[in-house]
Every structure is written in structure tokens, then in C-alpha cells.
Amino acid sequence: MNRTSIIRWTVRAAAATAIAAAGFATTVPAGADPVWPGGPDIPGIPQLTPTPPPVLVEAPCSAAARACLRLSTNEGWLMDNGRAVYGPTRISHGRPGYETPPGVFHVAFKKPYHWSTMHNAEMRWAVFFNGDIATHIGPIEEQSHGCIRMTPDGAKAFYDYVEPGDVFEVVP
């Protein structure tokens, strides 16, 4: 190696060492305030402060309810001693002329797959709580003939959680 090559190599090594040292010198201690509000404590590293828990919406039903449905906001909850354990989940209900009645009802029976002969339609994860009115999977963008239509996740959660005899509350 000639003298020029040695000098170039030494200069490059010194520059690389200086750059690495500068990177270590600009780190922020773990307990420091974030560099910008809501951002990570150190740029490029995920935020170290925990995010706040989601705000839970109170269900409008009594402590006796195992299932709670609010028609005015198209929301449903599963309940345990007055406390929501699931939800709100989006629902839709009866259209004009086929309104879903408010009231306190009891689960009559449930079927993982039911075929409605009245409306020639399938009703997956059906939970019957008021005669021929049930919760089941259905398009929540459209109103029904009285049943409570739910997303697949919501209908399955209701089906798995409630049992015959459990209280269903439907509020306006």
C-alpha cells in the first residue's frame, strides 16, 4: 500500500467514526418528552408512551339485560350485570310498516342456520327473541322486515353469548 492509499483509508475511517459518534451523541434519554406531541420519543422508534384506552359508550339497558339493542342509533351490546362486554356493534332494524317493536323479551331459541320461509332468505347465527323476530347476519345498510340485521362478527358474538331465556332489551 502506498502512502496516498493509507491516507485515504485513514480519512475515510475517521469520517465513518465521526458520523457514528455523532449519531450516538444525539440520542434522547428514555424519560425525555417526545420530540413532537403525540410522536415517538425518538424519531424512527415507535411511541413509548401508551395510547389511552378507547372511550366506551354506555349501553342504555338495565342490569337484567344480556343483550341490548338501541334502534335510534342502530347499535347493539352484549351485557353482564349492567356492564357492556361487547359492542357497540352496528345493526339495522325494521323498515316502515315492519317496525321492530321496543320492549323486554326473552330468547326463545337460536339456530346457527335458519331459512325464513316468510321472506325466502337465509338467517345465519339466528337468535329468536320476539316471535319471528331475530338477530342474524344481514346487510346493515338496509332495513329489514322486523329482524335485527348484524355484521357477521356481531351476529356470531350474539349467537355465542346468549342462551334461551336470557333477557333481550330493545330500546327506541
Side-chain angles (χ1 to χ4, degrees):
M1 215 183 247
N2 66 21
R3 181 175 159 88
T4 306
S5 295
I6 293 173
I7 292 173
R8 283 186 191 152
W9 185 86
T10 305
V11 169
R12 287 181 184 155
T17 304
I19 290 170
F24 288 118
T26 60
T27 60
V28 178
D33 289 334
V35 175
W36 59 88
D41 293 336
I42 302 170
I45 296 179
Q47 185 173 352
L48 299 177
T49 55
T51 55
V55 177
L56 297 176
V57 177
E58 296 262 341
C61 295
S62 74
R66 292 283 284 170
C68 176
L69 303 168
R70 181 166 47 195
L71 303 177
S72 63
T73 58
N74 288 321
E75 296 173 303
W77 294 266
L78 293 173
M79 311 287 292
D80 185 29
N81 292 319
R83 186 176 61 87
V85 295
Y86 179 83
T89 186
R90 295 179 54 212
I91 66 166
S92 69
H93 54 85
R95 61 177 55 122
Y98 299 94
E99 289 85 2
T100 305
V104 178
F105 308 96
H106 294 272
V107 174
F109 66 98
K110 58 186 198 173
K111 292 176 73 176
Y113 180 84
H114 178 78
W115 185 263
S116 170
T117 55
M118 291 174 61
H119 303 290
N120 196 29
E122 72 174 4
M123 300 165 60
R124 292 199 183 267
W125 308 120
V127 177
F128 289 84
F129 63 92
N130 180 14
D132 63 345
I133 296 178
T135 60
H136 59 82
I137 294 175
I140 60 173
E141 300 80 24
E142 302 173 20
Q143 291 180 310
S144 70
H145 287 92
C147 282
I148 302 294
R149 291 178 173 169
M150 304 180 111
T151 63
D153 290 342
K156 178 78 163 91
F158 271 63
Y159 180 85
D160 288 343
Y161 188 75
V162 300
E163 295 298 332
D166 284 349
V167 175
F168 248 77
E169 286 187 30
V170 180
V171 298

